[in-house]
């Protein structure tokens, strides 16, 4: 049995009594139908107990691998456990691409979609916005397909693994494209405050990295599709003279190529290379989404508590995500700025820092990333999601006996 017993970060030890790695969908259907408490694990890259269960923990990594691009339809059919890095290679060879990627290509497609995982770009929705259809095994072992046209589709994509085990997804694809990546250093925060939208719209995907230590943003990563070379100076920041890692002092080798060297979309949109397996257990992460219209006020609120954030922080990343219509997406109906924190793996220091961040962002109806460390009370999270009750209704319909309702889901949506 190869199902991991902890998550990638090692801060969650799964409590499952039984681990399963079915080889066929029929085998999976039998496991689910027989289970009282079932959860599905993707690649285990979440930082909280969202995937945990005391019953049966199922991995879909052993199901037959499907990656079927269809250029004419503008889609790809993909098995749920496929990692983005794997999918991207096949798509690119077919002249196709995904609209965006997260910072790490090692994450499973279904797991990423289940939590609203995202990259950056003012016009780029989270990765789940590419989903056109979901095939899943529901609590009674039935295999159902939900297409984009279905009334409950918007509740069935970012679904926290609570509606069933996704076996396959159909995703929208676009023609393959090239990206060039540049890093600038030392963007004055005064400039960022004045020109936040201009800075974040300066490329297809823009990420800011800051340690909240000075009045400058440490690094700005620009990922551009076409256009001229990047100038040496920009908004008071200076073009980096060599490759950089987002965390100060770390060697840049695991990072995707910078310095404007053209590359395929999947070799530039993630910050980290697929052929470098990141060491596990060295970090925890948190992330909060606020409306982009509140970006500067939220930035200032965080800057005001930088002393409380600093003891736990490795690095912070600021990205944008376009609004979507997926009920539990952190970007539901609002263009967002996402404030991300990579923490040192010190649970107590992280808890203090998370509290400081949550207090600072409490005026902005911040939505926490479903797959990261947060302590926002469920009633506060609920208030920020207008379609909360609709999702609860969907849970009752799809999973009336609470097969997939682990502690995480019960805490937020009730025990059923
Ligand atoms: C180093 C690192 C970098 C990261 N970078 C980003 C980033 O750039 N952007 C971002 O938004 N997030 C990022 N994350 C967070 C990560 O993308 C999410 O936690 C994501 O959900 C992890 O996917 P997974 O396959 O590991 O899912 P898991 O952590 O295994 O599971 C997450 C949820 O998905 C459900 N799930 C998994 N597979 C299925 C399935 N087949 N059917 C139904 N439900 C399923 C699980 O039940 C669980 O509820 C990062 C995490 C790490 C460790």
């Amino acid at each position: 049995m190869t199902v991991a017993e902890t998550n990638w970060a090692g801060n969650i030890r799964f409590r499952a009594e039984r681990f399963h790695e079915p080889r066929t969908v029929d085998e999976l259907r039998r496991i689910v139908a027989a289970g009282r408490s079932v959860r599905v694990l993707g690649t285990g890259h979440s930082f909280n107990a969202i995937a945990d269960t005391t019953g049966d923990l199922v991995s879909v990594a052993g199901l037959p691998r499907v990656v079927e691009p269809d250029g004419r339809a503008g889609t790809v059919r993909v098995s749920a456990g496929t990692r983005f890095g794997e999918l991207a290679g096949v798509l690119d060879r077919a002249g196709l691409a995904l609209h965006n990627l997260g910072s790490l290509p090692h994450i499973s497609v279904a797991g990423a979609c289940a939590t609203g995982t995202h990259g950056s770009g003012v016009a780029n929705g989270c990765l789940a916005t590419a989903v056109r259809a979901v095939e899943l095994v529901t609590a009674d072992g039935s295999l159902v397909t939900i297409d984009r046209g279905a009334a409950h589709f918007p509740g069935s994509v970012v679904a926290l693994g609570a509606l069933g085990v996704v076996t396959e997804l159909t995703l929208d694809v676009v023609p393959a494209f090239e990206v060039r990546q540049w890093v600038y250093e030392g963007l004055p925060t005064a400039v960022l405050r004045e020109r936040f939208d201009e800075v974040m719209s300066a490329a297809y995907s823009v990420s800011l990295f800051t340690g909240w230590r000075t009045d400058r943003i440490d690094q700005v990563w620009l990922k551009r599709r076409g256009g001229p070379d990047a100038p040496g100076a920009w908004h008071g920041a200076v073009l980096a003279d060599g490759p950089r890692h987002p965390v100060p002092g770390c060697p840049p080798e695991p990072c995707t190529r910078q310095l404007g060297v053209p590359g395929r979309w999947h070799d530039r949109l993630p910050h980290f290379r697929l052929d470098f397996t990141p060491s596990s257990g060295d970090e925890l992460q948190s992330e909060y989404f606020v409306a982009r219209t509140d970006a500067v006020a939220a930035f200032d609120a965080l800057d005001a508590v930088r002393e409380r954030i600093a003891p736990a922080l490795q690095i912070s990343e600021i990205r944008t995500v376009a609004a979507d219509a997926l009920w539990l997406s952190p970007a539901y109906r609002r263009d967002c700025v996402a404030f991300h924190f990579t923490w040192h793996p010190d649970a107590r220091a992280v808890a203090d820092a998370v509290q400081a961040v949550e207090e600072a962002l409490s005026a902005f109806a911040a939505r926490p990333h479903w797959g990261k460390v947060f302590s926002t009370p469920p009633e506060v999270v609920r208030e920020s999601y207008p379609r909360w009750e609709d999702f609860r209704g969907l849970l009752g319909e799809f999973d009336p006996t609470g097969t997939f309702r682990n502690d995480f889901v019960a805490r937020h949506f009730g025990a059923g």
Side-chain angles (χ1 to χ4, degrees), residues 184 187-188 198-199 202 206 220 222 224 231-239:
Y184 280 93
L187 176 76
E198 195 184 333
V199 168
V206 177
V220 182
L222 298 180
R224 287 213 166 114
W234 177 78
H235 291 309
V238 177
L239 199 59

Side-chain angles (χ1 to χ4, degrees), residues 7-9 14 28 38-52 57-61 63 79-84 101-120 126-127 134-137 157 159-169 270-272 278-279 283 285 287 289 317 319 321 338 340 342 369-372 404 406 408-409:
N7 65 341
W8 175 88
F14 299 123
L28 168 67
V38 180
R39 289 296 286 179
V40 54
L41 184 64
T43 45
H45 282 83
S46 295
F47 292 89
N48 58 36
I50 189 170
D52 196 19
L57 191 60
V58 182
S59 163
V60 290
L63 293 183
S79 42
T82 310
R83 293 168 188 250
F84 280 99
L101 289 166
S103 62
L104 196 70
H106 306 72
I107 288 166
S108 85
V109 176
C113 291
T115 62
T117 290
H118 62 99
S120 193
C126 71
L127 306 184
V134 191
E135 181 190 270
L136 72 164
V137 173
V157 184
L160 320 180
L163 300 182
V165 182
V166 175
T167 49
E168 272 186 24
L169 296 135
H271 302 323
F272 298 102
S279 60
E283 64 186 69
Q285 297 184 5
E287 190 166 28
F289 301 71
E317 181 177 7
R319 293 179 278 188
V321 190
H340 161 94
T342 299
H369 191 304
W370 291 113
K372 301 189 179 181
F404 297 106
N406 65 354
F408 184 97
V409 176

Side-chain angles (χ1 to χ4, degrees), residues 375-393:
S375 57
T376 316
E379 60 277 14
V380 175
V381 180
R382 179 166 61 227
E383 273 165 26
S384 71
Y385 282 96
R387 303 302 294 269
W388 195 265
E389 280 305 327
D390 295 307
F391 186 76
R392 260 173 60 87

Side-chain angles (χ1 to χ4, degrees), residues 323-345:
D324 63 50
L326 303 172
W327 298 348
L328 290 191
S329 163
Y332 178 76
R333 298 285 185 219
R334 66 184 191 197
D335 288 327
C336 281
V337 57
F339 292 96
H340 161 94
F341 305 84
T342 299
W343 308 115
H344 293 291

